[in-house]
Amino acid sequence: MIRFILICITVVGYLILSIPLLIIEWIIGKFNPHAKDISSLRIIQTVFRFILWLTGVKVTVIGEENVPKDQPVLYIGNHRSFFDILLTYTRCPGLTGYIAKAEMEKIPLLSNWMRYLHCLFLDRKDIKKGLQTIKEGIEKIKSGISICIFPEGTRNRSESDLELMEFHEGSFKLATRTGCPIIPIALNNTVSIFEKQFPKIRKTHVVIEYCKPIYPAELSKEDKKFIGKYTQNIILEALKKNESLV
């Protein structure tokens, strides 16, 4: 419970104490938007690294060289833990926005930082609003900002990492409409950090694999039509391969 309490204090404390920082970042953005984007990215990455240090998690990373550094990408990952976001965001080489559920937009201060980081809020109950969010994501990628989405739509509460839920095909329009590469991310054992023994946070070992990029234009007509299933199979194979490492 000590780790859980320390992390709660860190998160709440940072959000409150960062109010002046939000104002400073806003002012910087008025004169130099790119500088503000980069500083916001590095600030949150530092905070996330500190939180992960508090958890005591050991991370093995495979295939990070597969992530292009010279263009925006669409990150696609399986989703089992709240910590999936921290684990992946700390490794983003450039500006990256996440697709989050619409409910998070109502959380003060947190939602402010999320907007600074180019995150988008997806209303899964409203198809029209959902399509608008996808369009906004497409524009983000066209402007050079990567997007990360967990296409299962919510945290997977299955017993095994290998029991993936359906990947929503609409998520992949961000790649098919822009031509950007898809980077499949396989996350093994992240559920053991917190959710498996809620509310305790346990020191554990997780594996993150960045699979080879998928270029939609190079896929067959059939694979492109069911690109969600195609990507899911790649992630599943990586999860099976890495299961013995945790």
Side-chain angles (χ1 to χ4, degrees):
M1 283 295 290
I2 294 176
R3 287 193 178 98
F4 177 74
I5 293 169
L6 287 174
I7 288 171
C8 288
I9 292 172
T10 299
V11 172
V12 175
Y14 172 77
L15 289 175
I16 294 172
L17 294 175
S18 71
I19 293 174
L21 196 54
L22 278 169
I23 297 170
I24 293 170
E25 288 290 278
W26 178 80
I27 294 171
I28 293 172
K30 288 295 182 181
F31 297 96
N32 191 333
H34 182 68
K36 174 236 181 184
D37 284 344
I38 296 298
S39 60
S40 294
L41 169 70
R42 301 309 178 202
I43 288 168
I44 298 303
Q45 284 182 325
T46 300
V47 174
F48 281 3
R49 288 191 187 101
F50 178 71
I51 292 172
L52 290 173
W53 177 77
L54 288 176
T55 69
V57 66
K58 177 185 175 184
V59 184
T60 295
V61 182
I62 301 170
E64 201 162 16
E65 69 278 3
N66 289 321
V67 181
K69 305 297 189 295
D70 58 349
Q71 66 180 123
V73 303
L74 174 64
Y75 294 102
I76 293 288
N78 60 304
H79 191 25
R80 299 266 282 152
S81 172
F82 291 117
F83 286 93
D84 294 340
I85 297 165
L86 282 72
L87 288 162
T88 53
Y89 194 74
T90 53
R91 312 201 75 86
C92 292
L95 300 178
T96 304
Y98 278 57
I99 303 289
K101 58 184 180 181
E103 291 81 358
M104 296 191 73
E105 193 173 13
K106 300 175 183 178
I107 304 175
L109 300 179
L110 177 61
S111 59
N112 293 90
W113 277 110
M114 291 178 74
R115 291 189 194 95
Y116 277 15
L117 300 171
H118 298 282
C119 293
L120 299 172
F121 302 95
L122 179 65
D123 190 335
R124 291 169 291 182
K125 299 176 182 177
D126 190 318
I127 295 176
K128 188 175 180 180
K129 288 183 179 179
L131 289 173
Q132 181 58 37
T133 301
I134 295 299
K135 288 180 181 178
E136 291 173 7
I138 289 171
E139 292 306 312
K140 293 280 187 187
I141 290 175
K142 287 181 177 179
S143 69
I145 300 166
S146 296
I147 294 291
C148 180
I149 189 167
F150 299 109
E152 290 170 288
T154 187
R155 280 187 303 111
N156 187 337
R157 293 171 172 81
S158 300
E159 288 297 317
S160 169
D161 284 339
L162 306 183
E163 298 176 32
L164 299 178
M165 298 190 295
E166 180 185 359
F167 279 22
H168 297 298
E169 296 286 341
S171 307
F172 294 84
K173 290 181 180 178
L174 283 82
T176 57
R177 297 281 181 85
T178 62
C180 79
I182 298 168
I183 304 296
I185 308 176
L187 297 143
N188 281 84
N189 202 38
T190 59
V191 70
S192 294
I193 300 173
F194 177 55
E195 287 77 6
K196 198 171 184 178
Q197 64 284 326
F198 174 86
K200 295 181 180 179
I201 289 177
R202 184 166 67 89
K203 187 176 181 179
T204 190
H205 178 215
V206 305
V207 178
I208 304 173
E209 178 164 358
Y210 293 86
C211 305
K212 291 183 178 179
I214 300 169
Y215 294 90
E218 297 177 2
L219 296 178
S220 67
K221 186 177 181 180
E222 184 70 11
D223 287 337
K224 191 173 182 179
K225 183 178 179 181
F226 299 103
I227 194 169
K229 186 65 177 176
Y230 180 86
T231 306
Q232 184 187 58
N233 288 336
I234 291 174
I235 290 175
L236 182 58
E237 287 304 310
L239 290 171
K240 289 178 181 177
K241 175 174 67 70
N242 298 330
E243 196 172 27
S244 62
L245 298 179
V246 298

